Every structure is written in C-alpha cells, then in structure tokens.
Amino acid sequence: NTLGSWRVLNQDLPDAGRPAVDDSAWPKYGRRPGLIHKVFWLRHPLKISAALGGAKTGGSPVSLACEFRGVGAFRGRFYVNGELRESFSLDFGNSRREEARTFPVFDAFQPGEDGLLAFRFENLGKSPVIEHQQAEPGTYLQVSSRIKVDATEEAVTELRRLAVDLK
C-alpha cells in the first residue's frame, strides 16, 4: 500500500508532529530534487480500510516501510499522532547511498483508527560532520514509503476458507 505525496515544511516548527498542526498550506513533497534544507518536516495522514483484499485488518500490526537515499548524515525522528515513536540516524557518507528502514505504527490496528505520520529531519552535513547553520551544499535526502499491514492469523484463515469456497 504505497503512500502518496507527503506534505513538507522546510523549516523547524515546534510540535509539527501533532495532528492539531494545520499543514494544508505546506507543499507536497515529490522526491526530486530531494530535501536539501537544514531542518525539515514530512507529514502524511494515514487511513486504513477495514479490509484489504478481502482480509480484515482489525488487530493487525501496521508498519511504515521507507527507502531513504541521499548524501550526508541526517538525524531523524518518527511520530505517530504526535507521539515520538523512534529517533534514528541516517549516514550515507559523502556519496549517494540507500538505506531501508521499517517503523512500527500500530501494534494492533483497529478499524476507524486513523493516524498522522510525521518525520522531522536535521541535515548534519557530510563527513566529517561539522556544525553548520545552513544545509551543507551537495547534501540531500529522498524518501519513498509504503504502509505494511500484516494479516492476523484469523484473516489468513478466512482468506484460505474463501479460496476453498471459490474452487
């Protein structure tokens, strides 16, 4: 389940991970040319239907799978509904590299449990990392992401029953 465009803010804003923050005026992030600012936020609403491909999603663990690519080092924070879920670092070195990460969103999703996903990134620059007031030229970050809903055992059993009924 691929996520569409994230909203991006190319500056720091306290509490931008909270759902109450209005991001309607933030531009949509389109992976190119990449995020090149010193501090930036990405936000995306999350809506998961009660069933995907005939399998019920209730009780299923939900995660966010991300592919990051860039140059330089970045410090990141991942939020769900304004709650900090994970602090992490990305270090691509001084040449373009990629890194995959998965972030937990819900341990047991309940239908109707919508959410807001948010990332705060700080561009630390190239190696060796030296404190800069602005983003160091030549550094950037690109993000692609998708939602993963792991089927519960009950949902798998129901799909198998449906498959047998179709034979």
Side-chain angles (χ1 to χ4, degrees):
N1 201 6
T2 302
L3 291 176
S5 295
W6 291 72
R7 297 265 183 194
V8 63
L9 180 66
N10 293 315
Q11 65 186 46
D12 203 5
L13 178 67
D15 299 324
R18 291 183 32 235
V21 173
D22 181 10
D23 63 7
S24 60
W26 296 15
K28 292 199 174 185
Y29 164 65
R31 292 181 23 202
R32 303 228 190 295
L35 299 158
I36 58 173
H37 296 274
K38 177 68 176 169
V39 176
F40 49 92
W41 283 88
L42 293 173
R43 288 171 45 111
H44 198 293
L46 177 64
K47 295 190 183 300
I48 300 173
S49 37
L52 294 172
K56 294 177 183 165
T57 57
S60 298
V62 176
S63 57
L64 177 67
C66 294
E67 292 284 331
F68 299 101
R69 72 185 61 77
V71 172
F74 295 83
R75 187 174 14 236
R77 293 183 191 152
F78 175 63
Y79 297 83
V80 177
N81 294 329
E83 178 185 318
L84 178 63
R85 290 291 174 94
E86 189 171 330
S87 294
F88 60 98
S89 296
L90 299 168
D91 189 351
F92 302 107
N94 294 337
S95 60
R96 182 178 175 214
R97 294 201 181 124
E98 297 181 8
E99 184 173 330
R101 287 197 180 229
T102 301
F103 301 92
V105 176
F106 298 119
D107 292 331
F109 171 74
Q110 299 306 315
E113 185 179 15
D114 296 335
L116 175 78
L117 307 177
F119 283 103
R120 179 193 183 272
F121 289 101
E122 182 180 358
N123 183 336
L124 302 175
K126 294 181 179 179
S127 296
V129 173
I130 300 169
E131 188 64 34
H132 295 277
Q133 293 297 95
Q134 304 292 324
E136 186 174 353
T139 59
Y140 73 92
L141 179 67
Q142 293 176 326
V143 182
S144 60
S145 57
R146 65 185 173 86
I147 288 293
K148 291 173 38 179
V149 179
D150 295 328
T152 62
E153 193 60 41
E154 176 184 316
V156 170
T157 301
E158 178 65 14
L159 284 174
R160 286 186 183 135
R161 186 189 65 72
L162 289 171
V164 169
D165 289 347
L166 290 174
K167 287 185 180 179

